[in-house]
Amino acid sequence: MPTVDVSPDELRRLTGHDEKDDEELKDDMFALGLEFEGETEEGDMQLEFAPDRLDRLSIEGVARSLRYQYGDDRGIYTPKPNDPDWTIAVDESVPDERPYVTGAIVRGVNLSEEALDSLIQLQEKLHATMGRKRAKGAIGIHDLTMLKGSSATEEGGNSIEYVGVESDGDRFVPLDSDAEMTPDEVLRSHPTGEKYADLVSEYDRYPAIYDDIGLFSFPPVINGRRTEVTTDSRDLFIELTGTDQWTIDKMCTIICYALDARGATIEEVEVTYDDHMLVRPDLEVTTKSVTHEQVETLLGIDFTPDEVLDLLARSGLSGEASEEEDSVVYEVEIPPYRVDVLHPVDIVDDIGRAYGFNDLSPRYPDVGTVGGQHERSQLEDAAREVLVGLGFEDLLNFHMISAEENFRRMRVEQESDVEPETDAEAGTDVVGGGTPAAIKNPYSEDYTMLRTWALPSLMMVLENNTHRSYPQDIAEIGLAAQVDESENTGVAEHRTVAGVLARHDASYEDAKARLQAIVRNFNADLETPPTEHPTFISGRAADVVIGGETVGVIGEIHPEVLVEHDLELPVAGFEFRLDALE
């Protein structure tokens, strides 16, 4: 989860509530879903954010949400931008891998040290989340007074150009440098260039943005020093490039709202492609419908339509109620910075937060049955009890993971169109392989898919705990999934049991002894015929066969996997399907 540093004094100023002490602010932010994680050396609060509310990745966004919560603001607010005077012309030479651009002009912003730090932090956090570490979208912020636009039309106006350039093309002075460099020299010699070189190094031509003076931005790598933003800057030019127009447009909108909260004036820009023209930033209000029945059913509270409309206004939304076939339907307007509202349930969640989840009263469900534990849960609890009895520390990890962690770092090939040379290299033929259930547009590259097995999660835990004492024996019973067209949902899910032993003398025999103890407790038959698996050492791995069915794998973790996770001692582990113990 992303964390954001927020100054409590600045937050009080932006909300207009100087009477709030730090503890009250923490409680108010917790009600919004923002968890206090600690303090910086400067006394700023560190807040952990759910990755859906990206508009709260800045102190301005947090303050906006609090003002709605306090009732100081109501309904939708959209800035009123001035007409465009600047144009971004997209040249046909722009690399096909990064074809999209957007932007905005911001005038009259007062960039104090706090405001500039907040803007830089918002830029970094958007890069890390929506921008996927700049791969999907990258932000450049420039001092407008240092730009010279060429004539956009016969009537006037200013134009800059988004083009593709040769690697040894025009020279410019990048940020944090005093020397002129070509784009290729930046990638080879500049610290920031080296960090982001992989994003563009394979391109035939590099993305670049020019004004009438010359090259001033090399996205997604680095800006030029000529247009560097300081506390003296008052007018800003914001440009974003990326692989998806919607993503960079929303990133731009979030930045514009943050600067608008500082008293700035937003000015539109025209983005001209070969076959169409866009006016940005995109401040269009969208609408979604939700029924009164959905609101009451999900929250378990009886509301009047007026109460629902009031709660929508306190959430920063606007709604109108209408009667449709003996049912009240709300047509809800959603502000452009809300990238998280995808379904009526998201609107109901906003209504519940505005009402106050802590104010909800628990009640017995109106059903004629007696509740009890599901057989699957009983089996899971029994298996967990055995694992703990064998000395394992029980974990609960995220079911979401990245393909990098799930496959590459475990030496497992993700399914592709390339024919593997051996069965061990074939992702579908090994435990943990198969086609993952992936998110089409993930907010973070750290969580892009449902994991296909649990061992990668355990290895990540070991990697994050190298500073702790050994032995470390950890286990998890959790969800795994992969695409299966034979399922109604298109995805086959199952509960999996995984455990690892990290110690100086960890061996296949140690892992097998514990596996045998687990299976024996459920009166099942275990066999472990030798096998090959890319995650494990050849000759030190075996299939887990329970009741005559192959349901998992066991062995000693391959040295390459250990090195990949910065582990300096042996690890042995196993994983198998929980339902094999039934």
Side-chain angles (χ1 to χ4, degrees):
M1 296 289 186
T3 58
V4 175
D5 299 340
V6 170
S7 165
D9 291 336
E10 184 77 351
L11 190 58
R12 279 186 278 266
R13 189 185 70 79
L14 289 172
T15 58
H17 284 268
D18 293 336
E19 79 282 0
K20 295 278 187 179
D21 62 30
D22 288 2
E23 293 305 315
E24 288 178 300
L25 286 176
K26 292 176 187 177
D27 291 340
D28 294 340
M29 289 187 288
F30 185 78
L32 294 174
L34 313 179
E35 297 191 30
F36 177 73
E37 290 293 307
E39 293 184 354
T40 66
E41 294 181 358
E42 293 77 20
D44 290 348
M45 296 180 182
Q46 292 182 310
L47 304 176
E48 182 178 85
F49 289 70
D52 54 347
R53 288 303 300 268
L54 299 180
D55 57 292
R56 294 174 178 163
L57 288 176
S58 68
I59 190 172
E60 296 86 2
V62 176
R64 182 192 310 114
S65 294
L66 286 175
R67 287 184 58 81
Y68 279 120
Q69 184 181 10
Y70 297 151
D72 299 330
D73 293 333
R74 294 176 59 82
I76 284 184
Y77 168 72
T78 53
K80 303 301 181 186
N82 291 335
D83 293 336
D85 183 55
W86 285 76
T87 298
I88 305 175
V90 182
D91 189 75
E92 61 181 11
S93 62
V94 167
D96 293 337
E97 298 90 343
R98 203 174 190 87
Y100 301 107
V101 65
T102 193
I105 301 294
V106 179
R107 297 187 185 272
V109 63
N110 181 16
L111 283 181
S112 62
E113 289 286 354
E114 293 82 3
L116 182 56
D117 289 344
S118 177
L119 179 60
I120 293 172
Q121 179 177 234
L122 176 59
Q123 181 183 15
E124 292 174 348
K125 298 303 179 181
L126 286 174
H127 279 158
T129 51
M130 284 191 81
R132 292 197 207 169
K133 296 183 179 179
R134 306 193 188 187
K136 193 173 184 180
I139 306 162
I141 303 176
H142 309 270
D143 189 325
L144 183 65
T145 60
M146 302 307 296
L147 292 176
K148 181 182 179 181
S150 57
S151 178
T153 64
E154 293 182 359
E155 291 76 22
N158 298 285
S159 178
I160 62 173
E161 194 172 22
Y162 180 41
V163 303
V165 298
E166 299 293 337
S167 61
D168 58 351
D170 291 338
R171 308 176 73 85
F172 73 113
V173 180
L175 285 173
D176 302 320
S177 177
D178 296 321
E180 286 191 341
M181 299 182 182
T182 65
D184 186 59
E185 289 171 340
V186 170
L187 300 185
R188 289 187 288 106
S189 305
H190 194 286
T192 303
E194 293 174 357
K195 181 177 180 180
Y196 295 105
D198 289 346
L199 296 179
V200 297
S201 58
E202 300 300 320
Y203 292 4
D204 292 333
R205 297 174 66 85
Y206 291 159
I209 302 179
Y210 283 74
D211 67 352
D212 211 33
I213 299 175
L215 173 62
F216 70 90
S217 180
F218 176 24
V221 181
I222 197 168
N223 294 338
R225 184 173 174 178
R226 166 163 62 97
T227 60
E228 182 177 4
V229 175
T230 69
T231 53
D232 295 326
S233 302
R234 292 294 176 265
D235 298 336
L236 307 179
F237 170 65
I238 301 169
E239 46 86 4
L240 299 91
T241 65
T243 61
D244 178 72
Q245 187 75 54
W246 182 90
T247 298
I248 59 175
D249 281 341
K250 289 303 181 183
M251 292 168 69
C252 182
T253 299
I254 291 171
I255 294 174
C256 288
Y257 264 87
L259 293 172
D260 175 82
R262 295 281 182 179
T265 300
I266 308 301
E267 181 181 300
E268 295 174 332
V269 300
E270 292 183 351
V271 181
T272 60
Y273 293 94
D274 283 343
D275 54 354
H276 67 286
M277 186 268 286
L278 302 174
V279 177
R280 292 296 184 260
D282 183 7
L283 300 178
E284 182 182 359
V285 173
T286 57
T287 60
K288 285 194 179 297
S289 298
V290 61
T291 67
H292 191 82
E293 181 182 8
Q294 285 176 303
V295 175
E296 291 189 333
T297 300
L298 289 173
L299 295 179
I301 302 176
D302 295 330
F303 291 112
T304 66
D306 287 342
E307 288 174 328
V308 173
L309 293 175
D310 178 68
L311 292 170
L312 286 171
R314 288 179 53 199
S315 302
L317 311 174
S318 294
E320 291 186 0
S322 61
E323 293 278 350
E324 294 185 12
E325 299 180 358
D326 299 328
S327 175
V328 176
V329 177
Y330 302 98
E331 193 73 14
V332 182
E333 292 185 330
I334 302 154
Y337 62 82
R338 290 293 302 274
V339 300
D340 59 301
V341 181
L342 306 175
H343 189 276
V345 169
D346 298 314
I347 298 173
V348 177
D349 178 73
D350 273 13
I351 294 172
R353 288 195 182 279
Y355 180 85
F357 285 136
N358 290 335
D359 296 330
L360 298 179
S361 299
R363 66 185 184 185
Y364 285 104
D366 187 19
V367 292
T369 184
V370 177
Q373 193 176 32
H374 193 279
E375 291 181 359
R376 185 187 65 193
S377 297
Q378 293 177 3
L379 176 64
E380 186 173 324
D381 287 348
R384 183 172 285 110
E385 184 176 353
V386 174
L387 286 167
V388 173
L390 291 170
F392 286 101
E393 184 174 351
D394 183 44
L395 301 182
L396 179 61
N397 288 307
F398 292 125
H399 297 153
M400 300 297 299
I401 199 170
S402 68
E404 174 85 357
E405 298 286 356
N406 192 87
F407 296 111
R408 191 196 67 77
R409 300 188 77 203
M410 300 297 289
R411 299 183 74 243
V412 174
E413 291 289 332
Q414 186 173 353
E415 186 177 88
S416 67
D417 297 331
V418 179
E419 188 70 24
E421 296 181 3
T422 67
D423 288 344
E425 294 175 349
T428 55
D429 292 338
V430 299
V431 174
T435 304
I439 299 176
K440 185 176 181 179
N441 292 303
Y443 282 124
S444 169
E445 66 176 13
D446 294 329
Y447 306 102
T448 62
M449 52 170 275
L450 281 173
R451 65 185 182 184
T452 59
W453 57 330
L455 270 179
S457 299
L458 298 186
M459 295 301 296
M460 292 167 64
V461 173
L462 292 179
E463 181 179 18
N464 292 327
N465 284 277
T466 55
H467 60 290
R468 297 189 179 275
S469 61
Y470 292 93
Q472 294 181 24
D473 299 347
I474 57 176
E476 179 184 4
I477 301 177
L479 179 76
Q482 64 182 38
V483 172
D484 186 344
E485 298 300 335
S486 66
E487 296 286 337
N488 290 333
T489 61
V491 176
E493 302 178 5
H494 68 274
R495 309 297 288 185
T496 186
V497 182
V500 291
L501 310 171
R503 51 181 66 198
H504 75 280
D505 58 351
S507 66
Y508 169 85
E509 289 76 14
D510 295 325
K512 182 176 178 179
R514 285 163 175 76
L515 178 63
Q516 287 175 322
I518 297 169
V519 176
R520 190 183 307 117
N521 268 274
F522 291 88
N523 299 317
D525 297 324
L526 171 69
E527 299 175 64
T528 53
T531 191
E532 293 291 325
H533 191 292
T535 301
F536 299 92
I537 299 173
S538 179
R540 303 295 292 171
D543 285 328
V544 175
V545 181
I546 299 177
E549 182 179 356
T550 301
V551 293
V553 67
I554 181 174
E556 296 178 12
I557 302 297
H558 197 284
E560 289 185 10
V561 178
L562 299 179
V563 171
E564 181 68 35
H565 291 84
D566 295 326
L567 299 175
E568 298 179 354
L569 75 176
V571 177
F574 58 80
E575 179 160 351
F576 63 92
R577 293 177 62 103
L578 174 66
D579 54 17
L581 300 178
E582 293 178 343

